């Protein structure tokens, strides 16, 4: 069953980058977490299209949605910071 049908709440987070390479690096870094940090209350998907990264967070309740959004924002920020340090 599709995730949007299973969960009552959803948020789409969009991140745009200056070039496709950086978007790919960040997407690859965070995509490994999909399925690893899911629990019975929330899940997420990661997709990239060119220079745009999209993270969709799905949850059964608003508390789990907020926690999921915060987690995925931190993961993306960490990947961006690491990418910037690597040059």
């Amino acid at each position: 069953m599709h995730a949007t049908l299973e969960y009552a709440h959803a948020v789409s987070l969009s991140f745009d980058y200056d070039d496709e390479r950086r978007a790919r690096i960040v997407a690859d870094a965070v995509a490994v977490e999909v399925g690893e940090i899911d629990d019975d209350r929330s899940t997420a998907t990661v997709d990239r299209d060119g220079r745009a990264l999209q993270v969709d967070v799905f949850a059964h309740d608003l508390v789990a949605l907020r926690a999921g959004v915060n987690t995925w924002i931190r993961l993306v920020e960490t990947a961006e910071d690491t990418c910037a340090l690597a040059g």
Side-chain angles (χ1 to χ4, degrees):
M1 186 179 281
H2 192 268
T4 58
L5 299 176
E6 295 176 29
Y7 295 91
H9 306 283
V11 169
S12 291
L13 306 170
S14 297
F15 305 90
D16 295 315
Y17 297 95
D18 292 335
D19 58 65
E20 190 170 338
R21 179 182 174 270
R22 184 174 174 125
R24 179 180 36 82
I25 291 169
V26 173
D28 290 349
V30 299
V32 298
E33 299 297 337
V34 172
E36 294 297 317
I37 58 175
D38 291 353
D39 59 24
D40 60 341
R41 294 172 53 206
S42 67
T43 190
T45 60
V46 173
D47 294 300
R48 184 184 61 83
D49 184 15
R51 299 180 311 164
L53 168 65
Q54 181 172 327
V55 178
D56 294 314
V57 182
F58 306 95
H60 289 299
D61 58 79
L62 293 175
V63 172
L65 184 67
R66 184 186 70 206
V69 166
N70 289 338
T71 296
W72 284 97
I73 288 173
R74 282 192 306 273
L75 288 171
V76 170
E77 287 176 343
T78 300
E80 290 172 346
D81 291 347
T82 303
C83 185
L85 289 174

